[in-house]
Amino acid sequence: MDFDERIRCLTQSQSPYVLETLNSPVKWWGGWCAKAFERAVNEDKPLLIDIGAGWCHWCHVMDETTYKDLEVVQLINDYFIPIKVDRDERPDIDRRYQEAALLIAGQGGWPLTAFATPKGEVIYAGTYFPPRDDMGLPGMVRVLRAVLDAYRSKRDQIGELVREINNAITSSYVSITIEDLDTGVVDEVVTKIMDMYDHEHGGFGMAPKFPPQVTYHALLLYRGFYTGNAIINIVRETLIGMGRGGIYDQLGGGFHRYSVDSDWLMPHFEKLLIDNAELLMNYSEAYAVTMDNELREIGGGHY
């Protein structure tokens, strides 16, 4: 009966990414099936919610390593109800759990690995977990055991955590007016962003380096409140550096997802429409501010 219900849930999905789990040793429930939640309630087991996509490299790495490790597989199949979700098929679910991951772990992305109560309330969340501790990341075996121990012996603490997360997410939707905005906080955020700037190659932080499209947009909006051209120069130099580098497909056009090095030379070979759409906005805004023909040529040349 369990097998039949799982297969029915899986085959209701239209996602090749979800359907690939038919061959997985982990007993995945596909999509966002009500039967999976019923099973979790009836058996009093926490949920393991894995959100990814077919284009996501580390999602496939995790499927081929972590979710084929014998100890990981046994722990999940015995003590959890695992649910596989395609973020492109259910962006609403992805958004909800990304918000929780940002609150808990300070970062989101894919694969998104969330542990939740049978009602879907997040207990803990992260992104990529190797089978065992590696690269400074906790191993999935350790994470599974810790979540299971907390679920069994610390229900009151879990209930309080769930309430705090729900309240934080709810409060983030409350609209504010310009009068409510603390400009000092905005100044502090912009200062911290600028402190992370890579003066040699452009962009922010170290490798792997992603194009932070929202950050570029926010900096250009903020430029009118900042003395001098430092902000404009940061955005301009970064966008030109990206356009000259390997993250930009010099033959086929368009930008790859990110660069695996810090100088935009070595791309990670996947392209997302949403990334390129947002970068088109960045290049258009930067050109409008600077009238720099190189920005115009890069921004217009790959569309």
Side-chain angles (χ1 to χ4, degrees), residues 58 107 135 196-198 201-211 247 258-268:
W58 288 103
Q107 65 176 2
M135 301 181 296
M196 295 171 60
Y197 179 64
D198 180 347
H201 304 296
F204 304 94
M206 304 299 291
K209 188 174 284 183
F210 288 77
I247 189 174
Y258 62 90
S259 174
V260 300
D261 55 13
S262 61
D263 53 1
W264 308 115
L265 180 62
M266 183 66 68
H268 188 272

Side-chain angles (χ1 to χ4, degrees), residues 93-153:
I93 295 170
D94 176 62
R95 178 181 178 184
R96 183 194 317 170
Y97 285 92
Q98 291 288 351
E99 290 173 343
L102 287 170
L103 289 169
I104 294 171
Q107 65 176 2
W110 302 281
L112 181 67
T113 309
F115 298 90
T117 69
K119 294 182 179 179
E121 301 161 324
V122 178
I123 301 171
Y124 179 68
T127 51
Y128 171 77
F129 293 111
R132 305 293 189 286
D133 295 4
D134 189 23
M135 301 181 296
L137 298 172
M140 180 61 98
V141 170
R142 182 153 67 95
V143 172
L144 289 168
R145 288 174 174 166
V147 171
L148 187 61
D149 177 68
Y151 184 76
R152 287 175 168 176
S153 61

